[in-house]
């Protein structure tokens, strides 16, 4: 009696396994998005609460020394929370990139089993950067701009970095006020604090984008483009 599994049954089992893994990755991506939005909402809630509390203190102290001391402390807490939030968002973005590559690999397996279905796929079946960008709906010509400042500002970590840098600038201005600096010096201190904080966060984010996990090296790279005449 033969114990070999019929080809049709083996193919069906392979598709079931791949589909199960695919749905698992989709659910994981959804959880990643939920955590990202939750982290951003938590930070904005903390920032809003700090601003409201400072407004009440300002009414009581009339922007005196007590207000400046309390404001520096509270904004420092907001700043630290913001930096940690940006760090977590960067980690979640890396996780999401990993899940996209994993789904591209599964899609590649689908096409290995049924290559005739390739014209019906909009997303990519290649697990390199161009393939991930195609799945994410980003033009392949934008691959070299992925780590640019302009693209970074459109992401959650980038937008949050602007807010965090603004908090850093506000702290710098308050410190200058505490030392009795004139208005021009206070303004310049705030601007310098904002620029320095934003540049540090931008460099940090760029390095996070450029440094990929070695385990994510392409197994199914995109085919080279045909030469244009």
């Amino acid at each position: 009696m033969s114990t070999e599994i019929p080809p049709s049954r083996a193919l069906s089992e392979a598709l079931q396994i791949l589909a199960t893994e695919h749905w698992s990755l989709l659910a994981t991506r959804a959880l990643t998005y939920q955590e990202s939005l939750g982290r951003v909402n938590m930070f904005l809630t903390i920032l809003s609460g700090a601003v409201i509390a400072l407004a009440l203190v300002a009414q009581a102290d009339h922007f005196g020394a007590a207000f400046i001391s309390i404001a520096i402390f509270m904004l420092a807490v907001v700043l630290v929370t913001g930096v940690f939030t940006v760090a977590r968002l960067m980690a979640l973005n890396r996780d999401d990139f990993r899940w996209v590559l994993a789904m591209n690999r599964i899609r590649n397996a689908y096409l290995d089993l049924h290559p005739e279905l390739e014209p019906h796929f909009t997303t990519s079946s290649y697990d390199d950067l161009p393939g991930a960008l195609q799945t994410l709906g980003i033009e392949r010509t934008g691959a070299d701009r992925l780590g640019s400042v302009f693209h970074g500002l459109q992401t959650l970590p980038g937008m949050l970095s602007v807010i965090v840098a603004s908090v850093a600038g506000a702290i710098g201005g308050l410190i200058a006020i505490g030392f009795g600096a004139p208005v021009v010096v206070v303004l310049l201190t705030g601007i310098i604090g904002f620029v320095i904080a934003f540049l540090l966060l931008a460099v940090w984010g760029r390095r996070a984008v450029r440094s990929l996990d070695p385990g994510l090296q392409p197994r199914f790279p995109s085919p080279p483009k045909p030469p244009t005449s």
Side-chain angles (χ1 to χ4, degrees):
M1 180 177 179
S2 176
T3 58
E4 294 184 0
I5 300 177
S8 59
R9 179 182 173 187
L11 179 62
S12 176
E13 290 179 351
L15 288 173
Q16 288 179 5
I17 294 172
L18 290 172
T20 301
E21 178 66 10
H22 201 160
W23 280 107
S24 175
L25 291 171
L26 286 173
T28 304
R29 283 198 74 193
L31 291 175
T32 302
Y33 279 122
Q34 290 179 8
E35 183 178 353
S36 297
L37 296 177
R39 293 274 180 168
V40 172
N41 289 333
M42 180 178 65
F43 170 73
L44 294 179
T45 300
I46 294 174
L47 177 61
S48 301
V51 172
I52 293 173
L54 290 177
L56 297 176
V57 174
Q59 290 181 355
D61 189 60
H62 302 288
F63 298 96
F67 168 79
I68 295 176
S69 301
I70 295 174
I72 292 175
F73 171 76
M74 293 188 66
L75 291 181
V77 173
V78 174
L79 177 63
V80 172
T81 305
V83 171
F84 288 156
T85 303
V86 171
R88 182 55 184 162
L89 290 176
M90 290 179 183
L92 290 172
N93 280 352
R94 288 193 297 270
D95 290 342
D96 186 63
F97 185 75
R98 180 191 299 272
W99 312 143
V100 169
L101 293 184
M103 287 190 289
N104 282 8
R105 290 172 179 174
I106 292 177
R107 205 170 290 112
N108 189 280
Y110 288 153
L111 294 179
D112 280 344
L113 297 174
H114 290 284
E116 71 278 4
L117 296 178
E118 184 174 6
H120 303 282
F121 282 89
T122 302
T123 50
S124 175
S125 60
Y126 304 108
D127 63 344
D128 52 4
L129 181 57
L133 293 177
Q134 180 180 343
T135 299
L136 293 171
I138 302 175
E139 294 292 335
R140 292 185 62 172
T141 54
D144 57 343
R145 298 183 285 109
L146 185 61
S148 67
V149 174
F150 295 104
H151 177 83
L153 290 175
Q154 302 173 33
T155 64
L156 283 179
M159 296 176 63
L160 205 64
S161 295
V162 175
I163 300 176
V164 173
S166 301
V167 174
I171 293 175
L174 287 170
I175 293 175
I177 293 176
F179 282 101
V183 176
V184 176
V185 175
V186 172
L187 181 61
L188 290 177
T189 303
I191 294 175
I192 292 173
F194 169 81
V195 172
I196 292 176
F198 180 76
L199 289 178
L200 290 175
L201 291 170
V203 171
W204 185 19
R206 187 179 181 87
R207 289 181 177 178
V209 170
R210 297 296 183 182
S211 58
L212 297 178
D213 188 344
L216 299 180
Q217 294 301 321
R219 301 177 187 174
F220 312 102
S222 301
K225 292 183 179 180
T228 56
S229 56

